[in-house]
Amino acid sequence: MSTDLRDLSYVVMNLIGRNGAGPHDLVQMARRGQRLYWAGAASKIYAEPKRLEQLGYLTSVKTPGRTRQRTHYRLTKKGVRALQEWLALPSRFPRIQSEAAIRVQASDLADDPTVLLKSLKPLRDEILELSAILDESESREPHFPHRQRQLRLLHSLGRRIFRAHLDWRE
């Protein structure tokens, strides 16, 4: 595995995939479905393709846009090879940062236990919002016939994560 590649590098190269993508497309994809699986600042997602191009993992072409030219990135052979090598590495358990779980653990310090319950109420609304985003992602599966199986598996994981959090919250 190359030392010049970061976890975000693989996320970006994955999103670029077979069809290529522009920086704005990458950020939109991250906001839609990827947010459930990977959290990253839009500014870092915009910057990463340029860095990967300089390193030879991506190539770009300029295409006409509504107001200005758009950059469209594609994987190079080096980029595909890097993804293939990364795919063969063992997957780690995901890093989890659950504010709700830490609040539950700290709730023994609360003077009023209802404070914790109130703080967990918005979690349900956020899960419902994310579920709607997942619905939208699922509706786009036919547009990616080469990835339909993978997307179904990914969306299944998302649904299970939502269900687990809703059950836990209750």
Side-chain angles (χ1 to χ4, degrees), residues 42-77:
S43 61
K44 293 194 182 284
I45 295 170
Y46 274 116
E48 190 64 9
K50 289 178 191 172
R51 193 181 80 79
L52 291 171
E53 184 176 30
Q54 290 173 344
L55 295 170
Y57 295 99
L58 302 178
T59 186
S60 69
V61 294
K62 299 289 184 188
T63 59
R66 278 187 238 168
T67 57
R68 61 180 182 183
Q69 286 193 319
R70 293 178 39 117
T71 304
H72 189 83
Y73 290 97
R74 295 188 82 68
L75 291 169
T76 62
K77 287 181 182 179

PDB file of all heavy atoms in Angstrom, residues 42-77:
ATOM      1  N   ALA A  42     -16.132  18.721   3.105  1.00  0.00           N
ATOM      2  CA  ALA A  42     -16.227  18.976   1.661  1.00  0.00           C
ATOM      3  C   ALA A  42     -14.920  19.557   1.130  1.00  0.00           C
ATOM      4  O   ALA A  42     -14.484  19.197   0.033  1.00  0.00           O
ATOM      5  CB  ALA A  42     -17.397  19.913   1.370  1.00  0.00           C
ATOM      6  N   SER A  43     -14.279  20.416   1.898  1.00  0.00           N
ATOM      7  CA  SER A  43     -13.032  21.033   1.430  1.00  0.00           C
ATOM      8  C   SER A  43     -11.953  19.980   1.182  1.00  0.00           C
ATOM      9  O   SER A  43     -11.181  20.092   0.222  1.00  0.00           O
ATOM     10  CB  SER A  43     -12.537  22.055   2.455  1.00  0.00           C
ATOM     11  OG  SER A  43     -12.278  21.437   3.705  1.00  0.00           O
ATOM     12  N   LYS A  44     -11.911  18.952   1.989  1.00  0.00           N
ATOM     13  CA  LYS A  44     -10.916  17.884   1.793  1.00  0.00           C
ATOM     14  C   LYS A  44     -11.281  17.027   0.581  1.00  0.00           C
ATOM     15  O   LYS A  44     -10.400  16.590  -0.159  1.00  0.00           O
ATOM     16  CB  LYS A  44     -10.801  17.035   3.048  1.00  0.00           C
ATOM     17  CG  LYS A  44     -10.200  17.801   4.213  1.00  0.00           C
ATOM     18  CD  LYS A  44      -9.789  16.871   5.313  1.00  0.00           C
ATOM     19  CE  LYS A  44      -9.248  17.622   6.492  1.00  0.00           C
ATOM     20  NZ  LYS A  44      -7.935  18.126   6.330  1.00  0.00           N
ATOM     21  N   ILE A  45     -12.576  16.802   0.383  1.00  0.00           N
ATOM     22  CA  ILE A  45     -13.017  16.015  -0.769  1.00  0.00           C
ATOM     23  C   ILE A  45     -12.723  16.778  -2.059  1.00  0.00           C
ATOM     24  O   ILE A  45     -12.305  16.194  -3.051  1.00  0.00           O
ATOM     25  CB  ILE A  45     -14.507  15.654  -0.647  1.00  0.00           C
ATOM     26  CG1 ILE A  45     -14.711  14.720   0.559  1.00  0.00           C
ATOM     27  CG2 ILE A  45     -15.025  15.011  -1.927  1.00  0.00           C
ATOM     28  CD1 ILE A  45     -16.161  14.488   0.929  1.00  0.00           C
ATOM     29  N   TYR A  46     -12.903  18.101  -2.057  1.00  0.00           N
ATOM     30  CA  TYR A  46     -12.582  18.912  -3.240  1.00  0.00           C
ATOM     31  C   TYR A  46     -11.086  18.879  -3.538  1.00  0.00           C
ATOM     32  O   TYR A  46     -10.669  18.851  -4.689  1.00  0.00           O
ATOM     33  CB  TYR A  46     -12.997  20.372  -3.029  1.00  0.00           C
ATOM     34  CG  TYR A  46     -14.432  20.674  -3.382  1.00  0.00           C
ATOM     35  CD1 TYR A  46     -15.330  21.090  -2.414  1.00  0.00           C
ATOM     36  CD2 TYR A  46     -14.889  20.562  -4.695  1.00  0.00           C
ATOM     37  CE1 TYR A  46     -16.646  21.373  -2.735  1.00  0.00           C
ATOM     38  CE2 TYR A  46     -16.199  20.843  -5.026  1.00  0.00           C
ATOM     39  CZ  TYR A  46     -17.075  21.246  -4.042  1.00  0.00           C
ATOM     40  OH  TYR A  46     -18.375  21.525  -4.368  1.00  0.00           O
ATOM     41  N   ALA A  47     -10.260  18.892  -2.508  1.00  0.00           N
ATOM     42  CA  ALA A  47      -8.812  18.974  -2.695  1.00  0.00           C
ATOM     43  C   ALA A  47      -8.173  17.639  -3.080  1.00  0.00           C
ATOM     44  O   ALA A  47      -7.162  17.618  -3.798  1.00  0.00           O
ATOM     45  CB  ALA A  47      -8.163  19.500  -1.414  1.00  0.00           C
ATOM     46  N   GLU A  48      -8.732  16.539  -2.627  1.00  0.00           N
ATOM     47  CA  GLU A  48      -8.080  15.235  -2.816  1.00  0.00           C
ATOM     48  C   GLU A  48      -7.881  14.834  -4.274  1.00  0.00           C
ATOM     49  O   GLU A  48      -6.804  14.332  -4.623  1.00  0.00           O
ATOM     50  CB  GLU A  48      -8.837  14.155  -2.036  1.00  0.00           C
ATOM     51  CG  GLU A  48      -8.126  12.827  -1.966  1.00  0.00           C
ATOM     52  CD  GLU A  48      -6.799  12.840  -1.212  1.00  0.00           C
ATOM     53  OE1 GLU A  48      -6.463  13.869  -0.570  1.00  0.00           O
ATOM     54  OE2 GLU A  48      -6.081  11.841  -1.285  1.00  0.00           O
ATOM     55  N   PRO A  49      -8.842  15.044  -5.180  1.00  0.00           N
ATOM     56  CA  PRO A  49      -8.587  14.643  -6.573  1.00  0.00           C
ATOM     57  C   PRO A  49      -7.387  15.363  -7.201  1.00  0.00           C
ATOM     58  O   PRO A  49      -6.626  14.743  -7.956  1.00  0.00           O
ATOM     59  CB  PRO A  49      -9.882  15.009  -7.305  1.00  0.00           C
ATOM     60  CG  PRO A  49     -10.917  15.040  -6.243  1.00  0.00           C
ATOM     61  CD  PRO A  49     -10.215  15.495  -5.001  1.00  0.00           C
ATOM     62  N   LYS A  50      -7.199  16.622  -6.887  1.00  0.00           N
ATOM     63  CA  LYS A  50      -6.037  17.355  -7.423  1.00  0.00           C
ATOM     64  C   LYS A  50      -4.747  16.699  -6.945  1.00  0.00           C
ATOM     65  O   LYS A  50      -3.797  16.519  -7.705  1.00  0.00           O
ATOM     66  CB  LYS A  50      -6.064  18.816  -6.963  1.00  0.00           C
ATOM     67  CG  LYS A  50      -7.132  19.648  -7.600  1.00  0.00           C
ATOM     68  CD  LYS A  50      -7.098  21.064  -7.048  1.00  0.00           C
ATOM     69  CE  LYS A  50      -8.316  21.837  -7.484  1.00  0.00           C
ATOM     70  NZ  LYS A  50      -8.422  23.134  -6.829  1.00  0.00           N
ATOM     71  N   ARG A  51      -4.717  16.358  -5.661  1.00  0.00           N
ATOM     72  CA  ARG A  51      -3.534  15.720  -5.074  1.00  0.00           C
ATOM     73  C   ARG A  51      -3.291  14.357  -5.729  1.00  0.00           C
ATOM     74  O   ARG A  51      -2.172  14.021  -6.107  1.00  0.00           O
ATOM     75  CB  ARG A  51      -3.732  15.564  -3.560  1.00  0.00           C
ATOM     76  CG  ARG A  51      -2.482  15.202  -2.791  1.00  0.00           C
ATOM     77  CD  ARG A  51      -2.795  15.053  -1.303  1.00  0.00           C
ATOM     78  NE  ARG A  51      -3.380  13.765  -1.011  1.00  0.00           N
ATOM     79  CZ  ARG A  51      -2.688  12.631  -0.901  1.00  0.00           C
ATOM     80  NH1 ARG A  51      -1.379  12.640  -1.058  1.00  0.00           N
ATOM     81  NH2 ARG A  51      -3.296  11.501  -0.631  1.00  0.00           N
ATOM     82  N   LEU A  52      -4.366  13.595  -5.908  1.00  0.00           N
ATOM     83  CA  LEU A  52      -4.234  12.274  -6.514  1.00  0.00           C
ATOM     84  C   LEU A  52      -3.797  12.355  -7.972  1.00  0.00           C
ATOM     85  O   LEU A  52      -3.059  11.495  -8.462  1.00  0.00           O
ATOM     86  CB  LEU A  52      -5.563  11.501  -6.393  1.00  0.00           C
ATOM     87  CG  LEU A  52      -5.940  11.070  -4.979  1.00  0.00           C
ATOM     88  CD1 LEU A  52      -7.361  10.508  -4.945  1.00  0.00           C
ATOM     89  CD2 LEU A  52      -4.939  10.076  -4.409  1.00  0.00           C
ATOM     90  N   GLU A  53      -4.229  13.407  -8.657  1.00  0.00           N
ATOM     91  CA  GLU A  53      -3.780  13.596 -10.039  1.00  0.00           C
ATOM     92  C   GLU A  53      -2.284  13.892 -10.077  1.00  0.00           C
ATOM     93  O   GLU A  53      -1.551  13.345 -10.903  1.00  0.00           O
ATOM     94  CB  GLU A  53      -4.570  14.709 -10.725  1.00  0.00           C
ATOM     95  CG  GLU A  53      -4.196  14.860 -12.195  1.00  0.00           C
ATOM     96  CD  GLU A  53      -5.044  15.885 -12.916  1.00  0.00           C
ATOM     97  OE1 GLU A  53      -5.500  16.858 -12.288  1.00  0.00           O
ATOM     98  OE2 GLU A  53      -5.235  15.714 -14.135  1.00  0.00           O
ATOM     99  N   GLN A  54      -1.810  14.741  -9.192  1.00  0.00           N
ATOM    100  CA  GLN A  54      -0.380  15.050  -9.134  1.00  0.00           C
ATOM    101  C   GLN A  54       0.458  13.808  -8.857  1.00  0.00           C
ATOM    102  O   GLN A  54       1.580  13.692  -9.327  1.00  0.00           O
ATOM    103  CB  GLN A  54      -0.112  16.106  -8.064  1.00  0.00           C
ATOM    104  CG  GLN A  54      -0.623  17.473  -8.413  1.00  0.00           C
ATOM    105  CD  GLN A  54      -0.490  18.462  -7.267  1.00  0.00           C
ATOM    106  OE1 GLN A  54      -0.284  18.090  -6.108  1.00  0.00           O
ATOM    107  NE2 GLN A  54      -0.624  19.744  -7.589  1.00  0.00           N
ATOM    108  N   LEU A  55      -0.130  12.863  -8.104  1.00  0.00           N
ATOM    109  CA  LEU A  55       0.581  11.626  -7.768  1.00  0.00           C
ATOM    110  C   LEU A  55       0.431  10.550  -8.837  1.00  0.00           C
ATOM    111  O   LEU A  55       1.009   9.473  -8.724  1.00  0.00           O
ATOM    112  CB  LEU A  55       0.092  11.098  -6.422  1.00  0.00           C
ATOM    113  CG  LEU A  55       0.392  11.984  -5.207  1.00  0.00           C
ATOM    114  CD1 LEU A  55      -0.356  11.493  -3.978  1.00  0.00           C
ATOM    115  CD2 LEU A  55       1.894  12.030  -4.952  1.00  0.00           C
ATOM    116  N   GLY A  56      -0.400  10.808  -9.868  1.00  0.00           N
ATOM    117  CA  GLY A  56      -0.544   9.874 -10.972  1.00  0.00           C
ATOM    118  C   GLY A  56      -1.657   8.843 -10.818  1.00  0.00           C
ATOM    119  O   GLY A  56      -1.770   7.930 -11.631  1.00  0.00           O
ATOM    120  N   TYR A  57      -2.513   8.989  -9.809  1.00  0.00           N
ATOM    121  CA  TYR A  57      -3.605   8.039  -9.601  1.00  0.00           C
ATOM    122  C   TYR A  57      -4.858   8.410 -10.398  1.00  0.00           C
ATOM    123  O   TYR A  57      -5.720   7.570 -10.623  1.00  0.00           O
ATOM    124  CB  TYR A  57      -3.967   7.942  -8.114  1.00  0.00           C
ATOM    125  CG  TYR A  57      -2.846   7.372  -7.285  1.00  0.00           C
ATOM    126  CD1 TYR A  57      -1.988   8.209  -6.570  1.00  0.00           C
ATOM    127  CD2 TYR A  57      -2.625   6.003  -7.231  1.00  0.00           C
ATOM    128  CE1 TYR A  57      -0.954   7.688  -5.817  1.00  0.00           C
ATOM    129  CE2 TYR A  57      -1.592   5.476  -6.474  1.00  0.00           C
ATOM    130  CZ  TYR A  57      -0.753   6.327  -5.772  1.00  0.00           C
ATOM    131  OH  TYR A  57       0.276   5.808  -5.039  1.00  0.00           O
ATOM    132  N   LEU A  58      -4.950   9.673 -10.786  1.00  0.00           N
ATOM    133  CA  LEU A  58      -6.088  10.173 -11.549  1.00  0.00           C
ATOM    134  C   LEU A  58      -5.578  10.988 -12.722  1.00  0.00           C
ATOM    135  O   LEU A  58      -4.458  11.508 -12.704  1.00  0.00           O
ATOM    136  CB  LEU A  58      -6.983  11.078 -10.694  1.00  0.00           C
ATOM    137  CG  LEU A  58      -7.604  10.525  -9.417  1.00  0.00           C
ATOM    138  CD1 LEU A  58      -8.400  11.611  -8.702  1.00  0.00           C
ATOM    139  CD2 LEU A  58      -8.474   9.322  -9.711  1.00  0.00           C
ATOM    140  N   THR A  59      -6.435  11.121 -13.705  1.00  0.00           N
ATOM    141  CA  THR A  59      -6.197  12.037 -14.817  1.00  0.00           C
ATOM    142  C   THR A  59      -7.458  12.884 -14.948  1.00  0.00           C
ATOM    143  O   THR A  59      -8.529  12.474 -14.480  1.00  0.00           O
ATOM    144  CB  THR A  59      -5.879  11.275 -16.119  1.00  0.00           C
ATOM    145  OG1 THR A  59      -5.529  12.202 -17.118  1.00  0.00           O
ATOM    146  CG2 THR A  59      -7.029  10.417 -16.566  1.00  0.00           C
ATOM    147  N   SER A  60      -7.357  14.029 -15.561  1.00  0.00           N
ATOM    148  CA  SER A  60      -8.542  14.886 -15.672  1.00  0.00           C
ATOM    149  C   SER A  60      -8.653  15.482 -17.065  1.00  0.00           C
ATOM    150  O   SER A  60      -7.664  15.594 -17.787  1.00  0.00           O
ATOM    151  CB  SER A  60      -8.505  16.013 -14.641  1.00  0.00           C
ATOM    152  OG  SER A  60      -7.488  16.944 -14.948  1.00  0.00           O
ATOM    153  N   VAL A  61      -9.887  15.824 -17.398  1.00  0.00           N
ATOM    154  CA  VAL A  61     -10.169  16.565 -18.627  1.00  0.00           C
ATOM    155  C   VAL A  61     -11.123  17.699 -18.241  1.00  0.00           C
ATOM    156  O   VAL A  61     -11.883  17.584 -17.284  1.00  0.00           O
ATOM    157  CB  VAL A  61     -10.817  15.689 -19.730  1.00  0.00           C
ATOM    158  CG1 VAL A  61      -9.851  14.628 -20.211  1.00  0.00           C
ATOM    159  CG2 VAL A  61     -12.102  15.067 -19.262  1.00  0.00           C
ATOM    160  N   LYS A  62     -11.051  18.766 -18.998  1.00  0.00           N
ATOM    161  CA  LYS A  62     -11.964  19.894 -18.787  1.00  0.00           C
ATOM    162  C   LYS A  62     -13.160  19.714 -19.713  1.00  0.00           C
ATOM    163  O   LYS A  62     -12.999  19.401 -20.892  1.00  0.00           O
ATOM    164  CB  LYS A  62     -11.284  21.232 -19.091  1.00  0.00           C
ATOM    165  CG  LYS A  62     -10.073  21.523 -18.218  1.00  0.00           C
ATOM    166  CD  LYS A  62     -10.471  21.833 -16.811  1.00  0.00           C
ATOM    167  CE  LYS A  62      -9.236  22.226 -15.997  1.00  0.00           C
ATOM    168  NZ  LYS A  62      -9.515  22.370 -14.601  1.00  0.00           N
ATOM    169  N   THR A  63     -14.345  19.897 -19.160  1.00  0.00           N
ATOM    170  CA  THR A  63     -15.569  19.783 -19.949  1.00  0.00           C
ATOM    171  C   THR A  63     -16.371  21.062 -19.769  1.00  0.00           C
ATOM    172  O   THR A  63     -16.253  21.738 -18.742  1.00  0.00           O
ATOM    173  CB  THR A  63     -16.414  18.568 -19.510  1.00  0.00           C
ATOM    174  OG1 THR A  63     -16.748  18.711 -18.138  1.00  0.00           O
ATOM    175  CG2 THR A  63     -15.662  17.266 -19.738  1.00  0.00           C
ATOM    176  N   PRO A  64     -17.202  21.412 -20.755  1.00  0.00           N
ATOM    177  CA  PRO A  64     -18.005  22.634 -20.619  1.00  0.00           C
ATOM    178  C   PRO A  64     -18.996  22.509 -19.464  1.00  0.00           C
ATOM    179  O   PRO A  64     -19.567  21.448 -19.227  1.00  0.00           O
ATOM    180  CB  PRO A  64     -18.751  22.736 -21.947  1.00  0.00           C
ATOM    181  CG  PRO A  64     -18.130  21.752 -22.857  1.00  0.00           C
ATOM    182  CD  PRO A  64     -17.408  20.746 -22.028  1.00  0.00           C
ATOM    183  N   GLY A  65     -19.188  23.589 -18.759  1.00  0.00           N
ATOM    184  CA  GLY A  65     -20.185  23.661 -17.694  1.00  0.00           C
ATOM    185  C   GLY A  65     -21.133  24.806 -17.963  1.00  0.00           C
ATOM    186  O   GLY A  65     -21.008  25.500 -18.971  1.00  0.00           O
ATOM    187  N   ARG A  66     -22.077  25.016 -17.071  1.00  0.00           N
ATOM    188  CA  ARG A  66     -23.046  26.109 -17.267  1.00  0.00           C
ATOM    189  C   ARG A  66     -22.385  27.475 -17.213  1.00  0.00           C
ATOM    190  O   ARG A  66     -22.648  28.334 -18.029  1.00  0.00           O
ATOM    191  CB  ARG A  66     -24.131  26.043 -16.192  1.00  0.00           C
ATOM    192  CG  ARG A  66     -25.207  25.054 -16.524  1.00  0.00           C
ATOM    193  CD  ARG A  66     -26.325  25.139 -15.543  1.00  0.00           C
ATOM    194  NE  ARG A  66     -26.451  23.809 -14.953  1.00  0.00           N
ATOM    195  CZ  ARG A  66     -27.152  23.512 -13.915  1.00  0.00           C
ATOM    196  NH1 ARG A  66     -27.816  24.438 -13.271  1.00  0.00           N
ATOM    197  NH2 ARG A  66     -27.216  22.287 -13.469  1.00  0.00           N
ATOM    198  N   THR A  67     -21.524  27.666 -16.222  1.00  0.00           N
ATOM    199  CA  THR A  67     -20.910  28.984 -16.060  1.00  0.00           C
ATOM    200  C   THR A  67     -19.408  28.974 -16.318  1.00  0.00           C
ATOM    201  O   THR A  67     -18.825  30.006 -16.614  1.00  0.00           O
ATOM    202  CB  THR A  67     -21.157  29.522 -14.637  1.00  0.00           C
ATOM    203  OG1 THR A  67     -20.646  28.580 -13.695  1.00  0.00           O
ATOM    204  CG2 THR A  67     -22.640  29.748 -14.403  1.00  0.00           C
ATOM    205  N   ARG A  68     -18.792  27.816 -16.190  1.00  0.00           N
ATOM    206  CA  ARG A  68     -17.350  27.703 -16.432  1.00  0.00           C
ATOM    207  C   ARG A  68     -17.014  26.240 -16.710  1.00  0.00           C
ATOM    208  O   ARG A  68     -17.860  25.367 -16.578  1.00  0.00           O
ATOM    209  CB  ARG A  68     -16.553  28.215 -15.233  1.00  0.00           C
ATOM    210  CG  ARG A  68     -16.837  27.448 -13.979  1.00  0.00           C
ATOM    211  CD  ARG A  68     -16.055  27.973 -12.823  1.00  0.00           C
ATOM    212  NE  ARG A  68     -16.382  27.120 -11.669  1.00  0.00           N
ATOM    213  CZ  ARG A  68     -15.952  27.280 -10.484  1.00  0.00           C
ATOM    214  NH1 ARG A  68     -15.156  28.264 -10.218  1.00  0.00           N
ATOM    215  NH2 ARG A  68     -16.294  26.476  -9.519  1.00  0.00           N
ATOM    216  N   GLN A  69     -15.774  26.002 -17.084  1.00  0.00           N
ATOM    217  CA  GLN A  69     -15.352  24.637 -17.366  1.00  0.00           C
ATOM    218  C   GLN A  69     -15.361  23.795 -16.083  1.00  0.00           C
ATOM    219  O   GLN A  69     -15.077  24.301 -14.996  1.00  0.00           O
ATOM    220  CB  GLN A  69     -13.952  24.624 -17.963  1.00  0.00           C
ATOM    221  CG  GLN A  69     -13.914  25.081 -19.399  1.00  0.00           C
ATOM    222  CD  GLN A  69     -12.571  24.757 -20.029  1.00  0.00           C
ATOM    223  OE1 GLN A  69     -11.536  24.912 -19.398  1.00  0.00           O
ATOM    224  NE2 GLN A  69     -12.603  24.320 -21.276  1.00  0.00           N
ATOM    225  N   ARG A  70     -15.703  22.529 -16.265  1.00  0.00           N
ATOM    226  CA  ARG A  70     -15.699  21.586 -15.149  1.00  0.00           C
ATOM    227  C   ARG A  70     -14.554  20.601 -15.334  1.00  0.00           C
ATOM    228  O   ARG A  70     -14.222  20.239 -16.469  1.00  0.00           O
ATOM    229  CB  ARG A  70     -17.014  20.809 -15.099  1.00  0.00           C
ATOM    230  CG  ARG A  70     -18.213  21.657 -14.753  1.00  0.00           C
ATOM    231  CD  ARG A  70     -19.480  20.833 -14.766  1.00  0.00           C
ATOM    232  NE  ARG A  70     -19.289  19.501 -14.212  1.00  0.00           N
ATOM    233  CZ  ARG A  70     -19.895  19.048 -13.124  1.00  0.00           C
ATOM    234  NH1 ARG A  70     -20.746  19.804 -12.499  1.00  0.00           N
ATOM    235  NH2 ARG A  70     -19.667  17.835 -12.688  1.00  0.00           N
ATOM    236  N   THR A  71     -14.000  20.158 -14.240  1.00  0.00           N
ATOM    237  CA  THR A  71     -12.952  19.141 -14.280  1.00  0.00           C
ATOM    238  C   THR A  71     -13.603  17.791 -14.043  1.00  0.00           C
ATOM    239  O   THR A  71     -14.388  17.624 -13.111  1.00  0.00           O
ATOM    240  CB  THR A  71     -11.892  19.418 -13.195  1.00  0.00           C
ATOM    241  OG1 THR A  71     -11.390  20.743 -13.374  1.00  0.00           O
ATOM    242  CG2 THR A  71     -10.761  18.426 -13.271  1.00  0.00           C
ATOM    243  N   HIS A  72     -13.280  16.830 -14.898  1.00  0.00           N
ATOM    244  CA  HIS A  72     -13.803  15.471 -14.776  1.00  0.00           C
ATOM    245  C   HIS A  72     -12.609  14.536 -14.592  1.00  0.00           C
ATOM    246  O   HIS A  72     -11.725  14.480 -15.454  1.00  0.00           O
ATOM    247  CB  HIS A  72     -14.605  15.094 -16.024  1.00  0.00           C
ATOM    248  CG  HIS A  72     -15.342  13.816 -15.887  1.00  0.00           C
ATOM    249  ND1 HIS A  72     -16.567  13.714 -15.268  1.00  0.00           N
ATOM    250  CD2 HIS A  72     -15.020  12.556 -16.276  1.00  0.00           C
ATOM    251  CE1 HIS A  72     -16.973  12.467 -15.288  1.00  0.00           C
ATOM    252  NE2 HIS A  72     -16.051  11.740 -15.901  1.00  0.00           N
ATOM    253  N   TYR A  73     -12.581  13.838 -13.463  1.00  0.00           N
ATOM    254  CA  TYR A  73     -11.469  12.947 -13.145  1.00  0.00           C
ATOM    255  C   TYR A  73     -11.798  11.510 -13.508  1.00  0.00           C
ATOM    256  O   TYR A  73     -12.943  11.075 -13.422  1.00  0.00           O
ATOM    257  CB  TYR A  73     -11.146  13.013 -11.647  1.00  0.00           C
ATOM    258  CG  TYR A  73     -10.537  14.325 -11.225  1.00  0.00           C
ATOM    259  CD1 TYR A  73     -11.321  15.324 -10.668  1.00  0.00           C
ATOM    260  CD2 TYR A  73      -9.177  14.570 -11.389  1.00  0.00           C
ATOM    261  CE1 TYR A  73     -10.764  16.534 -10.282  1.00  0.00           C
ATOM    262  CE2 TYR A  73      -8.606  15.774 -11.010  1.00  0.00           C
ATOM    263  CZ  TYR A  73      -9.408  16.749 -10.457  1.00  0.00           C
ATOM    264  OH  TYR A  73      -8.854  17.945 -10.074  1.00  0.00           O
ATOM    265  N   ARG A  74     -10.750  10.784 -13.896  1.00  0.00           N
ATOM    266  CA  ARG A  74     -10.852   9.346 -14.159  1.00  0.00           C
ATOM    267  C   ARG A  74      -9.655   8.666 -13.493  1.00  0.00           C
ATOM    268  O   ARG A  74      -8.598   9.278 -13.332  1.00  0.00           O
ATOM    269  CB  ARG A  74     -10.848   9.063 -15.648  1.00  0.00           C
ATOM    270  CG  ARG A  74     -12.091   9.630 -16.352  1.00  0.00           C
ATOM    271  CD  ARG A  74     -12.216   9.200 -17.784  1.00  0.00           C
ATOM    272  NE  ARG A  74     -12.797   7.891 -18.012  1.00  0.00           N
ATOM    273  CZ  ARG A  74     -14.074   7.568 -17.782  1.00  0.00           C
ATOM    274  NH1 ARG A  74     -14.886   8.437 -17.255  1.00  0.00           N
ATOM    275  NH2 ARG A  74     -14.525   6.371 -18.075  1.00  0.00           N
ATOM    276  N   LEU A  75      -9.858   7.411 -13.156  1.00  0.00           N
ATOM    277  CA  LEU A  75      -8.764   6.622 -12.593  1.00  0.00           C
ATOM    278  C   LEU A  75      -7.744   6.293 -13.674  1.00  0.00           C
ATOM    279  O   LEU A  75      -8.108   5.994 -14.812  1.00  0.00           O
ATOM    280  CB  LEU A  75      -9.297   5.300 -12.032  1.00  0.00           C
ATOM    281  CG  LEU A  75     -10.158   5.376 -10.785  1.00  0.00           C
ATOM    282  CD1 LEU A  75     -10.825   4.028 -10.522  1.00  0.00           C
ATOM    283  CD2 LEU A  75      -9.330   5.802  -9.590  1.00  0.00           C
ATOM    284  N   THR A  76      -6.473   6.346 -13.316  1.00  0.00           N
ATOM    285  CA  THR A  76      -5.417   5.862 -14.202  1.00  0.00           C
ATOM    286  C   THR A  76      -5.190   4.385 -13.891  1.00  0.00           C
ATOM    287  O   THR A  76      -5.757   3.845 -12.921  1.00  0.00           O
ATOM    288  CB  THR A  76      -4.105   6.632 -13.964  1.00  0.00           C
ATOM    289  OG1 THR A  76      -3.684   6.395 -12.618  1.00  0.00           O
ATOM    290  CG2 THR A  76      -4.268   8.131 -14.224  1.00  0.00           C
ATOM    291  N   LYS A  77      -4.345   3.733 -14.660  1.00  0.00           N
ATOM    292  CA  LYS A  77      -3.986   2.340 -14.357  1.00  0.00           C
ATOM    293  C   LYS A  77      -3.368   2.249 -12.959  1.00  0.00           C
ATOM    294  O   LYS A  77      -3.627   1.305 -12.213  1.00  0.00           O
ATOM    295  CB  LYS A  77      -3.027   1.783 -15.413  1.00  0.00           C
ATOM    296  CG  LYS A  77      -3.699   1.509 -16.727  1.00  0.00           C
ATOM    297  CD  LYS A  77      -2.726   0.940 -17.748  1.00  0.00           C
ATOM    298  CE  LYS A  77      -3.444   0.726 -19.078  1.00  0.00           C
ATOM    299  NZ  LYS A  77      -2.564   0.197 -20.103  1.00  0.00           N
TER     300      LYS A  77
END
